[in-house]
């Protein structure tokens, strides 16, 4: 399987190169030449596999240039009961009749990002070791990607991580998880601005090909295809747990800001997984809900992106949307370049034609928005009715899932994080605190190692260069 850019660079690259590069040289995102289709016999054979074996079968379809033993070894070291607290890795829990929650937050940082990031860390380290190379990862986080990436990469001798986060916009627990790490290969930068400010800087650095090559820059955000591919696996795992036969259909409800998690569901559906609807849930920062309702994609400025009680979704520019639009437009890279390049640059938005907007319905997407009041009410109701605590982002998913339920079609809500990361909101909704492991009792009080930075691409580049013992120019 080879990969091309969504924006027209037709140079085909193998999985290993895409793994290390992240963003394509022309500023586009890497996508496979085609999605492999799964027949019923294969789907049935996969039904009884363990999570590691399922991950290998799915990912092997996309990994042509990496030795099978290398891939299998990375997967086997990643998906263990020791790391994810259960051999199921992503256990399914019933919430109410026809509605389920897929537990994705059992990893080291208690967020769904661990499922892909732990594997990405092993894949990167193995590949860099095989090549005898170093990699400097530059990423942006709205809350959970940063800690998941840092815990996956900490102590790895071939990798440094430079993580940008919006200063003062994460929960206290999320900040402490990242900033308390003392590993010398981890560099936290709290940027004055929103998540989108951070993401724009990361894209600018990745688009500077001279700097990127000189400093061996890679990414672990969901623009990295390998991370998105790892997320495809749990859609299959969730489906197998919720159904008894391959003739059944299910829907997935996904809290979404950057469109990465739900884009993996799109890939699973393109592969032939019997998904009825992909239910996209936003918070008050509803750029994606507006897009799916109207066909108008209008990113917001930092000033127009309020901080909410589901902070990991406070995102106004959905990077992974480009992969989906590439498919909607018949994989017409020139049109994608026009929309995401010229139209956004000159008008700050783009609008799909009526025909293109209607075509999106063929891919099973529906959307909705959840507010702070909705989150509190949903968390409270789930706690009082099921004695189950769900975090604010998962609550957004449950609220919108209920709005789009179809009789006879089970809906699986993808859990985003554990409630302990959002103590203030959970206490407001339930009137009680959230138990946490004894090992984390003093997390917020631990010494912190981070730098507050202005929203300057050049300043960030200079800091990266200095940490590498060089000058940026």
């Amino acid at each position: 399987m080879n990969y091309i850019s969504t924006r027209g660079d037709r140079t085909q690259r193998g999985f290993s190169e895409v793994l290390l590069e992240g963003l394509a040289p022309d500023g586009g995102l890497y996508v496979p030449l085609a999605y492999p289709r799964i027949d019923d016999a294969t789907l049935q054979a996969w039904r009884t596999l363990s999570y590691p074996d399922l991950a290998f079968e799915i990912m092997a379809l996309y990994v042509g240039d990496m030795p099978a033993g290398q891939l299998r070894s990375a997967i086997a070291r990643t998906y263990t009961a020791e790391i994810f607290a259960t051999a199921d890795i992503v256990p399914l829990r019933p919430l109410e009749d026809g509605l389920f929650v897929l537990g994705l937050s059992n990893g080291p940082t208690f967020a769904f990002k661990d499922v892909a990031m732990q594997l990405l860390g092993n894949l990167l380290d193995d590949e860099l070791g095989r090549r005898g190379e170093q990699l400097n990862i530059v990423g942006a986080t709205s809350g959970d990607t940063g800690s998941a990436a840092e815990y996956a990469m900490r102590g790895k001798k071939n990798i440094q991580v430079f993580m940008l986060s919006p200063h003062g916009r994460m929960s206290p627990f999320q900040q402490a998880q990242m900033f308390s790490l003392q590993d010398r290969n981890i560099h936290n930068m709290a940027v004055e601005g929103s998540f989108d400010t951070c993401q724009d800087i990361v894209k600018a650095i990745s688009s500077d090909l001279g700097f990127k090559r000189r400093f061996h820059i890679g990414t672990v955000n969901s623009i990295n295809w390998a991370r998105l591919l790892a997320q495809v696996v749990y859609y299959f795992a969730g489906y197998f747990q919720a159904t008894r036969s391959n003739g059944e259909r299910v829907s997935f409800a996904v809290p979404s800001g950057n469109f990465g998690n739900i884009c993996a569901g799109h890939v699973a559906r393109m592969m032939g997984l019997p998904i009825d609807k992909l239910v996209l849930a936003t918070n008050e920062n509803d750029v994606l809900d507006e897009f799916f309702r109207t066909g108008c994609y209008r990113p917001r400025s930092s000033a127009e992106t309020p901080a909410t009680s589901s902070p990991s979704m406070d995102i106004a520019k959905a990077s992974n949307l480009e992969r989906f639009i590439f498919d909607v437009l018949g994989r017409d890279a020139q049109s994608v370049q026009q929309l995401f390049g010229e139209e956004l640059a000159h008008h700050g938005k783009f609008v799909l034609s009526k025909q293109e907007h209607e075509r999106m319905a063929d891919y099973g997407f529906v959307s909705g928005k959840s507010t702070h009041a909705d989150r509190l009410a949903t968390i409270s109701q789930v706690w009082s009715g099921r004695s189950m605590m769900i975090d604010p982002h998962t609550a957004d998913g449950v609220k919108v899932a209920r709005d789009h339920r179809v009789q006879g079609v089970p809906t699986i809500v993808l859990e985003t994080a554990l409630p302990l990361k959002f103590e203030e909101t959970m206490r407001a909704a339930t009137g009680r605190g959230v138990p946490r492991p004894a090992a984390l009792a003093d997390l917020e009080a631990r010494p912190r190692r981070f730098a507050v930075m202005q929203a300057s691409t050049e300043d960030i580049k200079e800091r990266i260069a200095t940490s590498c013992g060089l000058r940026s120019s």
Side-chain angles (χ1 to χ4, degrees), residues 413-425:
V413 180
L414 298 192
E415 179 185 72
T416 301
L418 293 193
L420 61 84
K421 304 185 81 164
F422 308 97
E423 174 75 22
E424 183 179 341
T425 302

Side-chain angles (χ1 to χ4, degrees), residues 122-157:
N122 286 327
L123 288 172
L124 285 169
D125 204 39
D126 290 351
E127 184 63 20
L128 290 167
R130 187 178 72 83
R131 295 176 177 223
E133 297 178 359
Q134 303 283 315
L135 186 67
N136 292 306
I137 290 170
V138 182
T141 183
S142 57
D144 291 326
T145 292
S147 57
E150 291 175 357
Y151 276 71
M153 310 294 168
R154 61 186 305 192
K156 294 194 183 302
K157 62 181 181 180

Side-chain angles (χ1 to χ4, degrees), residues 8-50:
D9 183 344
R10 309 306 289 181
T11 304
Q12 295 187 22
R13 292 170 171 83
F15 177 83
S16 296
E17 189 173 358
V18 168
L19 167 70
L20 297 176
E21 276 203 11
L23 198 67
D26 62 358
L29 304 186
Y30 285 117
V31 290
L33 284 172
Y35 300 112
R37 292 285 297 181
I38 307 304
D39 58 29
D40 284 342
T42 301
L43 202 60
Q44 187 61 37
W46 286 358
R47 183 173 282 278
T48 58
L49 295 179
S50 67

Side-chain angles (χ1 to χ4, degrees), residues 136-416:
N136 292 306
I137 290 170
V138 182
T141 183
S142 57
D144 291 326
T145 292
S147 57
E150 291 175 357
Y151 276 71
M153 310 294 168
R154 61 186 305 192
K156 294 194 183 302
K157 62 181 181 180
N158 299 314
I159 299 172
Q160 288 198 90
V161 177
F162 298 87
M163 189 60 61
L164 282 60
S165 60
H167 185 42
R169 282 180 171 243
M170 298 187 295
S171 77
F173 188 100
Q174 289 173 315
Q175 291 179 44
Q177 265 193 316
M178 290 174 56
F179 298 165
S180 64
L181 290 178
Q182 302 298 317
D183 303 75
R184 304 310 296 179
N185 71 322
I186 303 298
H187 308 272
N188 278 304
M189 290 174 275
V191 177
E192 301 284 3
S194 69
F195 165 77
D196 298 289
T197 307
C198 301
Q199 187 166 249
D200 287 344
I201 293 172
V202 171
K203 286 187 174 181
I205 291 172
S206 293
S207 297
D208 183 340
L209 296 185
F211 186 88
K212 181 178 180 179
R213 287 167 182 158
R214 184 183 181 200
F215 291 97
H216 308 285
I217 301 296
T219 66
V220 291
N221 280 63
S222 52
I223 58 176
N224 187 306
W225 169 258
R227 183 181 144 190
L228 190 145
L229 176 59
Q231 293 175 290
V232 172
V233 179
Y234 52 67
Y235 281 87
F236 283 84
Y239 174 80
F240 292 142
Q241 292 178 74
T243 63
R244 293 190 179 130
S245 68
N246 295 340
E248 300 176 63
R249 301 182 71 79
V250 303
S251 293
F252 287 89
V254 188
S256 189
N258 208 18
F259 203 75
N261 201 7
I262 202 166
C263 189
H266 165 65
V267 174
R269 192 174 185 277
M270 295 294 285
M271 291 175 65
L273 189 66
I275 296 175
D276 186 49
K277 298 296 181 187
L278 287 165
V279 183
L280 183 147
T282 73
N283 62 15
E284 293 88 339
N285 294 299
D286 59 350
V287 171
L288 286 172
D289 180 40
E290 179 182 79
F291 171 69
F292 279 96
R293 285 187 294 101
T294 68
C296 175
Y297 177 59
R298 185 175 64 88
R300 312 292 198 261
S301 67
S302 294
E304 297 175 290
T305 308
T308 75
S309 53
S310 50
S312 297
M313 292 159 60
D314 292 344
I315 298 172
K317 298 176 184 177
S319 291
N320 268 282
L321 186 64
E322 185 167 329
R323 286 186 167 112
F324 173 64
I325 296 299
F326 184 68
D327 288 334
V328 170
L329 299 182
R331 305 201 130 207
D332 181 349
Q334 184 175 353
S335 294
V336 171
Q337 171 62 41
Q338 181 179 353
L339 292 180
F340 285 90
E342 298 168 20
E343 290 290 324
L344 285 182
H346 291 105
H347 305 293
K349 66 178 182 179
F350 65 74
V351 182
L352 297 183
S353 69
K354 184 173 183 291
Q355 182 181 26
E356 291 165 345
H357 185 219
E358 290 173 348
R359 193 182 305 150
M360 291 201 306
D362 297 338
Y363 295 89
F365 279 88
V366 294
S367 69
K369 179 172 75 171
S370 173
T371 66
H372 177 67
D374 293 326
R375 282 188 283 285
L376 294 184
T378 302
I379 293 168
S380 177
Q381 186 274 326
V382 171
W383 171 247
S384 61
R386 295 286 299 182
S387 296
M388 181 191 299
M389 280 195 172
I390 57 174
D391 83 285
H393 310 78
T394 305
D396 289 333
V398 170
K399 189 272 179 184
V400 177
R402 287 170 170 166
D403 293 342
H404 288 282
R405 287 176 67 177
V406 176
Q407 187 68 31
V409 179
T411 299
I412 299 172
V413 180
L414 298 192
E415 179 185 72
T416 301

